[in-house]
Amino acid sequence: MKRLLTYVLLLAFVVAVAGCGSSAPTANQPQPAKDFSIKIGGSSTLAPVVAKAADDFTEKYKTWKKVKDAFADDPIAIFVATGGSGFGVKAATNGTVDIGLVSRVVKEEEKQKLPNHKLHTVGYDALTIAVHPQNPVVKVKPNLTKDEVKRIFAGEIKTWKQLDASLPDRTIVVAIRDLGGGASQAFDEAVMKGTPIAKEAIQMPSMGALAGKVQDNVDAVGYVSTGLVDQNKGKIAVLSVDGFEPTNENIVSGKYSISRPLILITKAQADEREQQFINYLLSDTGLKLLEEMGFVPVKAK
């Protein structure tokens, strides 16, 4: 029976310890079974792709022995948690996860804390300027300048009518990712350049929640991942920026400049089982899945 895809929010990874105190375990004490599960966490943009890949990988092989004959015949268990890119970096740094997921540039100070890790860029994502399909701005003003985008998110342009006189005099509802998300950093670097976001902006806990806000409110605007737009076709409309749509071609060429890398943080010397799944994510199959879910795989860059 096909295993159902499960998103597991891991509040903590608990390590069972046999015995207590300083005494060494005796021969009669049961030894804990070795944990062959793979724990992955971080970016809410990248997590659905990796979770789907984990589901496909598990469905294909079912046990580790079928991945490689030298492995024991243990069932494959891969857990994927969200929590934002900041969590992905931190959890990879302290070993809470085996693979960290990041959807932004990893800072130099963060890299210095990861001397025994590798960073794998698997693809690229654009942050679209997303609105409800029934918002009249889609037809009246489908292209914004980057300065107009900045002024909207800074709260300087507060109503649609202020953006264009023919638009309704209704308040623009600005929706953003929380500060722990990679999208907030990428958007600041590409658009805001240090200008504060409007204090009235609604912070959403995940990219999925941000996409949902845009779908639910005709006056909302948010920087929604192109992957989420692709996964919700017809439910989200996107505006061009400086004359360029967020197409794969424009993302790859850099013409659409509000983009960010999608990164896996792995151990430099990964466990054999972890390496098998990492190889799967970086294979043509894994990169094709990334593309199917609306992102630009690294091979296209």
Side-chain angles (χ1 to χ4, degrees):
M1 183 180 293
K2 181 174 174 64
R3 184 173 67 88
L4 296 176
L5 176 62
T6 305
Y7 295 92
V8 182
L9 178 58
L10 301 176
L11 300 180
F13 299 125
V14 181
V15 179
V17 180
C20 59
S22 59
S23 300
T26 67
N28 293 326
Q29 286 181 315
Q31 298 300 309
K34 189 167 183 180
D35 181 11
F36 289 125
S37 65
I38 298 175
K39 302 172 184 69
I40 305 171
S43 164
S44 64
T45 297
L46 194 49
V49 178
V50 176
K52 181 62 170 66
D55 194 50
D56 293 347
F57 183 82
T58 304
E59 175 64 19
K60 179 178 180 179
Y61 295 108
K62 296 184 172 62
T63 70
W64 284 112
K65 190 171 183 63
K66 291 181 180 178
V67 176
K68 186 175 180 180
D69 191 58
F71 293 156
D73 199 24
D74 299 302
I76 296 171
I78 302 173
F79 301 101
V80 181
T82 59
S85 293
F87 168 74
V89 174
K90 184 176 180 179
T93 302
N94 63 28
T96 303
V97 299
D98 303 305
I99 302 174
L101 307 178
V102 185
S103 53
R104 60 167 171 78
V105 173
V106 178
K107 303 171 187 175
E108 285 304 317
E109 57 266 33
E110 292 173 329
K111 290 180 181 178
Q112 291 173 13
K113 297 177 182 178
L114 294 161
N116 300 315
H117 289 72
K118 289 182 179 179
L119 274 60
H120 308 268
T121 299
V122 295
Y124 296 86
D125 172 39
L127 296 177
T128 70
I129 306 306
V131 295
H132 193 285
Q134 293 180 13
N135 189 320
V137 73
V138 175
K139 293 183 178 180
V140 173
K141 194 173 175 63
N143 176 63
L144 303 179
T145 66
K146 192 176 285 187
D147 183 64
E148 286 173 327
V149 174
K150 179 180 178 179
R151 291 172 63 206
I152 288 170
F153 280 84
E156 295 174 17
I157 297 176
K158 296 183 179 296
T159 69
W160 292 108
K161 191 174 184 65
Q162 286 178 319
L163 180 65
D164 189 284
S166 62
L167 289 171
D169 192 17
R170 299 198 303 254
T171 300
I172 298 173
V173 179
V174 176
I176 62 171
R177 269 304 314 274
D178 62 275
L179 297 181
S184 61
Q185 178 182 321
F187 190 74
D188 180 72
E189 291 176 352
V191 177
M192 304 306 291
K193 308 292 186 182
T195 299
I197 294 287
K199 61 182 181 181
E200 300 85 6
I202 302 171
Q203 293 189 37
M204 307 305 295
S206 69
M207 186 54 73
L210 178 52
K213 187 68 177 179
V214 172
Q215 293 177 59
D216 293 341
N217 192 318
V218 72
D219 287 315
V221 61
Y223 46 74
V224 176
S225 158
T226 185
L228 268 292
V229 173
D230 190 75
Q231 294 164 39
N232 292 278
K233 288 181 179 178
K235 299 178 181 179
I236 298 175
V238 300
L239 307 177
S240 298
V241 178
D242 288 337
F244 296 104
E245 298 178 8
T247 62
N248 281 12
E249 293 76 15
N250 287 339
I251 295 167
V252 170
S253 68
K255 291 177 180 178
Y256 187 87
S257 60
I258 313 175
S259 61
R260 55 182 176 156
L262 302 174
I263 298 170
L264 306 177
I265 301 178
T266 71
K267 301 184 188 77
Q269 297 296 325
D271 171 272
E272 281 191 275
R273 289 168 180 77
E274 294 167 21
Q275 189 61 55
Q276 290 292 332
F277 184 58
I278 292 166
N279 292 345
Y280 182 81
L281 290 172
L282 298 174
S283 70
D284 288 343
T285 300
L287 294 176
K288 182 180 179 182
L289 174 62
L290 188 80
E291 186 172 28
E292 288 173 351
M293 294 186 73
F295 302 102
V296 182
V298 70
K299 62 182 178 181
K301 185 75 172 179

